[in-house]
Amino acid sequence: MYTQSFNVPDSPGLKSVPVAPSTENPELQARFDSRIDADGKIEPQDWMPEAYRKTLVRQISQHAHSEIVGMLPEGNWISRAPSLKRKAILIAKVQDEGGHGLYLYSAAETLGTSRDQMLDGLHSGKAKYSSIFNYPTLNWADVGVVGWLVDGAAIMNQIPLCRCSYGPYARAMIRVCKEESFHQRQGYEALLVMMKGTAEQKAMVQDAVNRFWWKCLAMFGPPDADSAHSVQAMRWGIKRISNDDLRQKFIDATVPQAKVLGVTLPDPDLKWNEERQHHDYGQIDWDEFWSTVNGNGPCNKERLATRVKAHKDGQWVRDAALAYSRKQQTKTTKEAA
Ligand code: BYC
């Protein structure tokens, strides 16, 4: 298993991208660039180029949406968990994901974008969220596989974000990663138990792995050559390791775990390459990935409709909180007068 202590070097060439000349304010830009080059942190009150701010709002809000939408496929199993223990664990996990969404929305708000604006983006279908949550969780083994592989892929991607150049995002990620480590272990442990069970239970686990494996590899984003944002995001120290390098690390870490679990990963081309000291792997179906990202996956419409309904159903809570806050403000003003 990998945790906070999983230390990965930056991708080679991180600092080799030339600095784009500033059109905004050369002096402030130079100060910003030297802070980035020295691996320092940018804080909300600091000057930053608009493109840096925009990139962070895009990535952090997409990340927050992923956490919130990611509650749905697992939340769907809370009432059907096979024991009280599994139910309690799953409730805690889904609640953690909600908390991650809240830290991340708060981190994005420090960049001057309101939560309402971000939620509008999600509800109108303009903002993205992780492709993986547009696939259904068909049975209990899927819940274990989401913990093991989906949270596992998420941790692999998120540990380098603890060193992101934007302070509030980096700090939020430290807690998120600690909690995700628990999530991954609970998923793996649930699967270990099933793999000691009946032939049907073992077959369920294998079937779930077969359905989720390729989708988890796609979670890391398009190949580096097709990744629109990577070069600039790495130059700014937002991303530290490229999509392909993280994907490779995830595969290398997961192969031995699959062996211990007793499942096969559904890729005939998956094999150790002595020369590269990494596993070779087969072709990811990028057409399917883009179709899902662009709204045509099996559950996209259902996921969005559920989120929009939850937001509408919660309107009275927001109204009540605002009314209470206004009342308190009036009281304080009267007392001060
Ligand atoms: N799904 O230039 P690229 C979780 C988009 S939640 C959908 O490489 P970037 C969990 C990308 O947005 C896991 N879209 O982009 C929760 C861009 O489109 P736009 C979420 C994707 O940003 C509950 C376009 O493709 N984790 O762990 O440099 C339960 C070009 O891509 C995906 C995060 O969000 C995708 N998989 O790199 C359990 C981590 N991949 O914006 C678990 C933070 C790419 O131009 N985010 N796209 O329209 C990141 O690290 C980066 O944003 C990504 C993409 C690596 C995801």
Side-chain angles (χ1 to χ4, degrees):
M1 297 292 115
Y2 23 91
T3 67
Q4 281 291 91
S5 61
F6 185 84
N7 197 6
V8 277
D10 296 339
S11 288
L14 174 62
K15 301 287 182 200
S16 65
V17 182
V19 181
S22 165
T23 50
E24 291 182 297
N25 183 325
E27 202 180 305
L28 293 171
Q29 177 78 48
R31 205 179 301 162
F32 171 88
D33 289 338
S34 63
R35 176 100 51 98
I36 295 285
D37 286 342
D39 234 350
K41 288 271 179 280
I42 306 297
E43 297 296 340
Q45 67 276 13
D46 294 334
W47 182 91
M48 62 188 84
E50 269 319 294
Y52 176 82
R53 185 188 300 276
K54 224 171 130 193
T55 295
L56 282 167
V57 170
R58 179 188 62 80
Q59 178 167 329
I60 302 172
S61 65
Q62 285 178 359
H63 193 166
H65 299 328
S66 304
E67 299 283 355
I68 300 294
V69 177
M71 296 167 78
L72 302 176
E74 290 182 288
N76 179 33
W77 277 90
I78 289 173
S79 60
R80 293 174 288 165
S83 68
L84 188 56
K85 174 180 146 183
R86 295 288 169 200
K87 198 189 286 278
I89 292 171
L90 191 56
I91 290 172
K93 178 186 191 299
V94 172
Q95 184 175 315
D96 282 353
E97 308 297 1
H100 299 171
L102 297 185
Y103 318 144
L104 290 165
Y105 284 128
S106 300
E109 280 178 313
T110 65
L111 291 154
T113 303
S114 75
R115 189 158 320 184
D116 282 345
Q117 284 173 303
M118 290 184 260
L119 288 177
D120 261 5
L122 174 66
H123 297 160
S124 63
K126 266 188 260 151
K128 291 193 168 68
Y129 57 88
S130 183
S131 48
I132 194 72
F133 301 119
N134 292 307
Y135 298 97
T137 39
L138 301 178
N139 59 46
W140 179 251
D142 288 24
V143 177
V145 166
V146 167
W148 173 38
L149 295 181
V150 174
D151 286 79
I155 301 170
M156 193 59 86
N157 164 276
Q158 289 170 182
I159 287 172
L161 292 174
C162 297
R163 292 188 292 120
C164 165
S165 58
Y166 188 57
Y169 191 26
R171 289 189 287 274
M173 291 318 300
I174 291 171
R175 179 160 171 184
V176 170
C177 284
K178 285 194 170 141
E179 292 177 352
E180 296 289 17
S181 297
F182 278 115
H183 297 172
Q184 192 213 15
R185 283 154 198 242
Q186 67 78 37
Y188 193 67
E189 192 268 341
L191 296 176
L192 281 172
V193 171
M194 285 186 84
M195 290 302 285
K196 288 196 192 107
T198 63
E200 283 88 347
Q201 285 174 310
K202 290 180 195 169
M204 269 169 75
V205 175
Q206 183 62 61
D207 172 57
V209 170
N210 292 348
R211 281 181 290 107
F212 274 91
W213 174 248
W214 291 103
K215 275 94 180 138
C216 287
L217 298 191
M219 276 175 75
F220 294 93
D224 293 350
D226 302 329
S227 167
H229 304 293
S230 279
V231 170
Q232 185 59 72
M234 289 176 79
R235 162 66 199 135
W236 278 327
I238 296 172
K239 278 168 95 160
R240 297 281 179 165
I241 303 183
S242 81
N243 298 359
D244 284 333
D245 287 351
L246 283 171
R247 192 169 8 251
Q248 182 71 64
K249 283 174 193 301
F250 174 71
I251 293 168
D252 291 343
T254 308
V255 167
Q257 295 170 11
K259 210 171 275 173
V260 171
L261 192 57
V263 294
T264 312
L265 297 172
D267 178 358
D269 297 325
L270 185 65
K271 57 174 181 307
W272 179 251
N273 183 324
E274 193 56 38
E275 204 180 312
R276 291 201 311 121
Q277 290 290 299
H278 288 297
H279 291 86
D280 290 338
Y281 57 97
Q283 270 301 316
I284 296 169
D285 185 345
W286 292 112
D287 290 341
E288 196 219 315
F289 169 78
W290 287 117
S291 163
T292 302
V293 168
N294 291 324
N296 302 312
C299 299
N300 293 60
K301 290 181 183 63
E302 179 190 330
R303 298 287 186 243
L304 266 194
T306 308
R307 283 309 318 158
V308 169
K309 181 177 181 312
H311 191 70
K312 278 195 184 138
D313 289 351
Q315 186 62 49
W316 71 270
V317 180
R318 293 190 294 280
D319 290 345
L322 277 175
Y324 179 75
S325 149
R326 274 192 216 107
K327 217 160 119 187
Q328 290 300 103
Q329 256 171 11
T330 318
K331 212 169 126 192
T332 319
T333 320
K334 267 192 196 149
E335 276 168 9

